Amino acid sequence: MNYSKNNFEKQGRRNFLKYLLTGGVVGFTGAVLYPLIAYLKPPKQADVEVSTVSGGLLSELEKDSGKIVRFGNKPVILVRTINDELRAFEATCTHLDCTVQYKKEMGVIWCACHNGKYDLAGRNIAGPPPRPLQPFRVVLKGDEILISKQS
Amino acid sequence: MNRINFIFTVIFIVTSAVRIDVYAQEDQCFICHDVLGDKPSELFKNDIHLKMKISCSACHGGNSKSDDMDIAMSSKEGFIGVPKGNDISERCIACHSNEEKMKAYGSNLPANQHELIKNSVHWKTSITGREHILQCTTCHNAHGILKVNNPASPVHSLNIPQTCAKCHSDAVYMRLYNPSLPVDQLQKYRTSGHGILNSKRDSKAADCADCHGSHEIRTAGDIKSKVYPTNIPKTCAACHSNAEYMGGYKIPIDQYDKFKSSVHGIALFEKNDLSAPVCNSCHGNHGATPPGVESISKVCGTCHVLNAELFSGSPHKKAFDEKNYPECETCHKNHDIVTATNALLGVSDEAVCSQCHSESENVKGFKSAAEMRSLIDSLDQAVILAKELINEAEQKGMEISEAKFRLRDAQQAKLEARTMVHSFSLDKFKEIVEGKGLLVTSSVIDEAKASIDDYYFRRYGLLISILIISLLALALYLYVKKIERKNTG
Amino acid sequence: MKNFWNNLYGWFDERLELKELVNFMEKKYVPVHRHSIWYYFGGVSLFLFIIQVATGILLLFYYKGTEDLAFESIQFIMSKVEFGWLIRSIHTWSANLFILAIFIHMFSVLFEKAYRKPREVTWITGVLMFFLALGFGFSGYLLPWNELAFFATKVGSDIVGAVPLIGEPLKIFMRGGEDVTGATLSRLFGFHVALFPAIFSSLLIIHLLLVQRQGMSQPMEFEGKKKHELKKMPFFPNFFLRDLILWLLVLNVLAILAVFFPSELGQKADPFAPAPEGIKPEWYFLFMFQTLKYFPAHIWFIEGEVVGVLLFGAAGILWLLVPFWDKRSSRGERNKLINYIGLFAVMFIIVLTILGWLS
C-alpha cells in the first residue's frame, strides 16, 4: 500500500515533469518562432528608399500635370510641364506649411490655403509665400522617374 | 550803336583809370560779366554765394582781382573755364565739405552732403562711366543757387517734385539708366493726398525727398534705403505719428503703433518677412491715399486672393454693399489687423458675426455661424488629441512618422476651412472640416492609439516570453535534479 | 512514436557512429569544486555568439550597407518590420553581453592558470577570438551610419593611425580611403558579416574541439590528488543541461533589456556636421580611450599617443603569449605574479572604464 502510493506519487511527479518539459519546449519554440516568422514576413511598405524615391512611371504621368510623392516624411511635388520637362520641389508651402498642388489652368504650383502661387521654377510669384520652394533633382531611369535630394 | 560804344569806352576809362585801386578789391569777374549782361551773371545776382561775396573764380578759377582779362582768365592764374563732369561737384565739395570754411562764412549748413551723396544711387551709377549721374548743380542750379527755404529754390519742398521729375519723368532719359523704372511718379504724386496739398502750396506735405531722402538717395532694394520695406513704416511715421506735425490735419496718428502689433507688422518686423504688406502696399506710394470703402477688398485681395474671391461670391457681398460696410475691415479692422482666430467666428460676444446676427435678427446666419464654430472647434480638438497621442507614442519609443506625416492634411484642412469661412456657406465649410479634416484626424488618432497599444503589447509579450522561458528553465532544473538523484541514489 | 525516433537515431548511428560520440561525452566529466561556476562563462559566451549569428543573419535580410540607405534601412527595421526592433535590440544587447562574458571567461581562465600546458593553443585561440570580438564591436558600431557611430569610427581609426610605420596604411585600409566615408561603411560591413565571422568560426571550432579533447582544466591545487577524492559531474547531460538553464536565463535578461532599453538610432551621419559633444567609444574600448587621454603630448621625442598605442600593442602580445612566458604554472608550480598581473589588469580596466564613463 505504502509502496504503491509512493510509486504512484513518483509516477505522478514524473508525468508532471514530462508535461512541464514538453510544454516548456513547445512554448519556448513558439515564443521564438512567432517573432521570427513575423519578422521575416515582408512588411507592408515594400522597401526603404529615402535619399531617392520613385515618382512612378513617366508613362503614367500626363504632360501638364503634377502629383505629390512622399519623400521620407515630407511631400514632394513632381510636375511634368507642358514642354515635357520634369521638375520636383518640396511640396510644403513656404507660407504656412500647406501642401501645394499643380494647377493646370494657371500653369503654376498652387497652394489652396491662401492662394500662394509658384512658377515652375519654384519661385513664389503671387500670394503670401515668402520664399521659393526647395527644388529636388529628377532623373529618368528608363520609364521610371527618380526624385532625389539636391546636394 | 555808337552810343553803346561810347558808354563802354567811358566805363572802361573810368574803371581802369579812376577807381582802379578800389576795384582791385572787388570781384572783377562779376563786374565785367554783369556789364556784358550774360545769363550766368544775371542769375548769379540772386545767388547766395554772391551775397556771401564769393567770386566766380571760386568755381571757375582765375584771378578775380585783376581787371585785365588776359591776366584774370589765364591758365597761369588757375582759370579753368566752365567745369565739366565731376569737376563741377568737386568745386562745391571743396567748400561745402569743409566745416571750417563753412563756419568762416557764418553758415550753419551741415558739411556732410558729400559723405551722404557718396552712398546715393545718383553718385554711384553712371551712364557714361566717367561721371556721376548727376552733379550738385543738377538739382541746386549752377548760378542762381538759393537757400532751401526760399520758395524759388528748385529744392524747396514745393518745387522738389518738379525738380526730380526733370529726369524721372523723362522716359527717354531714364531708359538710358534704368529702363524698368517707371516714369509716372509725378503724375501719380499729383493724385495723392500729399501731391494735392503740395499743389495747394502746403510745404508740410511730403515731397520726394521726405520719403527718399535728399542727398543719400538709395534704391528701393537697398536695405538702408528709407523706402526699403522694413523701413517704410518708420519713414511714414516720421510725419504721421508726430502729433505736433499732424496737428492741422484731421487724421489719426496711431497707425504706426497699431500696425506694429498687427499680424502684418509682426510678420515684417519680427519675422523679417519682406512680403508682408507695409503702408504703401495698401495706400500706394507715389499716389498715396486711403483706399475707399469699395476698394478695400481689392486691396486686401491682392494678397488674400482666395478670401476676396470667396467673399465676393458670398451673400455678404450684397449686404455689405447695401449698408456701405467696408468689406474686410468690418470684421478684421485696418491697421491693427491681428491673426484671425476661431474666436472671430460664432455667436459669442467676442465673435464678429454677432454684431449683425442674433437669435432674433438675421437668424439663418446666426445658426450657421454657431455651427461653423462648433465644427472648427471639434476639428481643433481632434488635432490636439491626435498630436498628444502621437507625442505619447513617440515618447514611448514607437515609430509613427507616417501618421505624423498624415496629420499635415488635418492642419491643412484647418487652414483651408478658415479660408472657406469667407464663402459664408455652411455646406462648403462642412465639406472641408468633416470630409477632409476630421476624416484624416480620426484615422491618425486610430493609428497613434494602435501604436501605443503596441507598446503595451511588447510589455505583455515580454512577460509571457519570460514566463515560458523561465518555465522551461525550471523544468530543466527539475530534470537535472532528478537525474542526479538517480545517479547518487 | 518512440520507435520512430529510435529508428532515426539508428539510421544516423549506422552511418556516423554516434555511439562513440555519446560514449565520449558520457565519459567526459566536469570537475566540481568551489570555482566550478567559472566553467559556465565559456558556454554563455558561446550561446551569445550563436544569438549574434542568428540575429545578425536576420538583420541582413533588411539592412543595406550603403551610405544613402544604411540609416534609413535601420529606421525601416525599427518601424516597419514586425519585431524588427526586437531583433536589432537583441543584437546590440547580446553584443555587449558577449564581450562582457568573454572578459569574465578570459580572466577566470587566467586566474585558474587553465592556459598552462597542454592548453596553450586553447588560450591563444581564445585571446584571438577576444580581439576579433572587439573588432566585431568596432565594425558593427558604424553600420547604423548615425552621427555617434560616424565620429566614434573616425576617432577610433585615428588612433590606429598613430601606430608608427604601419599605422597610416592600416588606417587607410580600414577606412577604404583617406577619410571615413561610404567606402568605410562598405568595408566595415564586409568585415563584420563575412571576414570576421569566417575567422571567428574557424578559431571557435579549434577552441571547442580542444576543450572536448582535453577536457576541462582543473585547478592546480587538485593536481596530485587521488582520483576518488575529486568530485565530478558528467558533461552530458548534467553539465550540458545546467548550461542550457543558464542560457535560458541569459535569454530572459536579453529580452528584458531589449524591451526596456531598445536600441536607439539618433541622427543620420553627416560628414560635414561638427562633431557632437562627448564622443565616447563603446564601453569595452573606454579604458583604452581613457588611458590614451592621460598620456602627455610628448614623451621624449615621441608623441604620447604613439607610446600609448605601442604599450597597448605590447600588452596585447604579452597577453596572447601568457602560456609561453609563464613556465612555472606549466611546471605545476604556483606563480603569484600572474595573479598580480591579472588583478592589476582587472582593476585597471574597471577604474579607467569608470573614469571614462564619468568624464
Side-chain angles (χ1 to χ4, degrees), chain B residues 338-377:
Chain B
V338 294
T339 313
T341 60
N342 292 352
L344 284 181
L345 180 65
V347 293
S348 59
D349 288 343
E350 75 255 35
V352 289
C353 308
S354 48
Q355 288 173 6
C356 300
H357 296 276
S358 71
E359 266 171 303
S360 51
E361 225 180 321
N362 304 319
V363 187
K364 193 173 168 235
F366 180 83
K367 281 182 183 159
S368 292
E371 198 177 341
M372 280 182 173
R373 175 64 185 274
S374 81
L375 274 169
I376 195 116
D377 279 349

Side-chain angles (χ1 to χ4, degrees), chain B residues 230-279:
Chain B
T230 49
N231 301 333
I232 282 186
K234 267 268 186 267
T235 302
C236 299
C239 298
H240 279 275
S241 295
N242 185 332
E244 208 182 308
Y245 197 84
M246 297 303 290
Y249 308 95
K250 288 179 190 112
I251 54 174
I253 53 161
D254 58 356
Q255 301 95 329
Y256 178 73
D257 290 328
K258 282 181 168 175
F259 174 77
K260 208 166 60 179
S261 53
S262 77
V263 61
H264 297 133
I266 289 168
L268 181 74
F269 294 126
E270 286 173 28
K271 299 179 189 160
N272 215 21
D273 182 349
L274 295 185
S275 64
V278 290
C279 314

Side-chain angles (χ1 to χ4, degrees), chain B residues 83-137:
Chain B
K84 292 252 158 32
N86 290 347
D87 282 344
I88 302 172
S89 299
E90 288 305 325
R91 306 312 304 164
C92 309
I93 292 164
C95 297
H96 278 273
S97 291
N98 187 330
E99 231 166 302
E100 283 169 28
K101 260 192 194 167
M102 292 301 286
K103 259 189 205 142
Y105 282 103
S107 166
N108 54 1
L109 282 180
N112 63 349
Q113 295 95 335
H114 184 222
E115 280 308 308
L116 291 174
I117 205 166
K118 264 187 200 166
N119 295 319
S120 83
V121 60
H122 294 134
W123 214 252
K124 281 183 177 167
T125 13
S126 166
I127 295 171
T128 60
R130 289 189 300 275
E131 56 202 38
H132 312 307
I133 217 164
L134 53 67
Q135 306 296 342
C136 307
T137 52

Side-chain angles (χ1 to χ4, degrees), chain A residues 55-139:
Chain A
L57 298 178
L58 183 67
S59 46
E60 284 168 8
L61 185 67
E62 280 174 45
K63 260 189 204 177
D64 196 19
S65 73
K67 70 171 178 182
I68 297 290
V69 178
R70 195 184 156 188
F71 193 98
N73 51 9
K74 59 184 168 209
V76 162
I77 182 164
L78 173 67
V79 177
R80 185 172 178 186
T81 68
I82 204 153
N83 305 326
D84 206 11
E85 282 173 273
L86 287 168
R87 307 264 173 86
F89 304 96
E90 191 175 343
T92 306
C93 182
T94 53
H95 177 225
L96 284 176
D97 293 351
C98 290
T99 302
V100 296
Q101 53 186 282
Y102 181 67
K103 207 73 177 162
K104 198 173 173 173
E105 312 88 82
M106 301 186 262
V108 296
I109 296 168
W110 179 72
C111 177
C113 291
H114 298 99
N115 200 38
K117 288 176 194 166
Y118 303 85
D119 67 9
L120 296 183
R123 281 186 295 261
N124 44 328
I125 49 170
R131 283 183 308 281
L133 296 169
Q134 193 75 29
F136 278 68
R137 194 171 39 211
V138 189
V139 270

Side-chain angles (χ1 to χ4, degrees), chain B residues 50-63:
Chain B
L50 182 72
K51 287 176 186 156
M52 289 290 168
K53 302 238 184 305
I54 293 163
S55 154
C56 308
S57 65
C59 298
H60 296 283
N63 186 348

Side-chain angles (χ1 to χ4, degrees), chain C residues 151-166:
Chain C
F151 286 102
T153 305
K154 217 170 171 149
V155 173
S157 48
D158 267 336
I159 290 172
V160 174
V163 180
L165 288 177
I166 54 159

Side-chain angles (χ1 to χ4, degrees), chain C residues 172-219:
Chain C
I172 289 177
F173 171 74
M174 257 171 76
R175 288 181 171 181
E178 286 288 336
D179 224 323
V180 177
T181 57
T184 320
L185 181 68
S186 305
R187 205 157 268 236
L188 292 191
F189 181 46
F191 290 164
H192 190 82
V193 304
L195 184 64
F196 290 170
I199 303 173
F200 195 97
S201 307
S202 322
L203 291 171
L204 185 62
I205 289 169
I206 298 171
H207 195 78
L208 291 178
L209 278 179
L210 285 171
V211 170
Q212 295 307 319
R213 188 93 187 98
Q214 300 174 327
M216 305 294 208
S217 157
Q218 284 186 12

